[in-house]
Amino acid sequence: MPEPLIRAALPSDDDALSRLDHDTWSFLHAVTPRQEPPFEPFFDSRHRPQDYLVAEAAGRIAGYLRLAPPTPLACNAHVRQIQGLAVHDWARGRGVARALLRAAMEKARGEGAVRMTLRVLGHNEPARTLYESEGFVVEGVLPGEFFLDRRYVDDVLMGRSLDV
């Protein structure tokens, strides 16, 4: 598979991204119940197309990443937070998530951010390994924060500087 094309999301991506969310849903990364048809719109007043990067590969959407300020506070404006990352099964292991992550860091730098944070479930080893390989470190753990699939799961807070 060639290098994925990373671009800003478009309003017309709504249905494809909604299906991607449904198709990739798993207790490995989701804290909300699996959506069933009819699906809610992917974009709404809190989840705007400009907050998303989309990866295209083989002529179709392969994944997305949501990047947003963690709060609306001016004193926190120097931080961007990854608030969602999904990659289709057919595109996994091909650098799509890494390309999205790197594009998000570049976008955040361009917006003046100097720090990037995220939250990941403690048992999601593939995601944690990816984040660590891109310079993220564990900055905190909320033990047993979620009860998923009949067990307690940690919420792991990770972050990194965006200084090159």
Side-chain angles (χ1 to χ4, degrees), residues 74-144:
C75 61
N76 194 219
H78 64 286
V79 180
R80 291 295 176 277
Q81 187 174 63
I82 295 170
Q83 297 179 346
L85 173 62
V87 175
H88 268 296
D89 286 342
W90 60 265
R92 289 199 179 137
R94 298 179 176 173
V96 172
R98 187 175 306 278
L100 282 164
L101 191 55
R102 289 178 177 176
M105 288 188 281
E106 191 60 36
K107 179 179 183 206
R109 284 184 194 103
E111 294 173 353
V114 297
R115 180 168 159 66
M116 176 93 65
T117 62
L118 60 88
R119 297 169 71 167
V120 61
L121 295 175
H123 66 278
N124 191 343
E125 289 298 326
R128 291 181 65 182
T129 298
L130 169 66
Y131 297 140
E132 289 170 2
S133 74
E134 289 295 323
F136 287 84
V137 296
V138 173
E139 297 181 336
V141 176
L142 302 174

Side-chain angles (χ1 to χ4, degrees), residues 27 29 51 67 76 78 84 90 107 130 152 156:
F27 280 120
H29 58 79
D51 297 333
L67 181 68
N76 194 219
H78 64 286
W90 60 265
K107 179 179 183 206
L130 169 66
Y152 292 99
V156 178

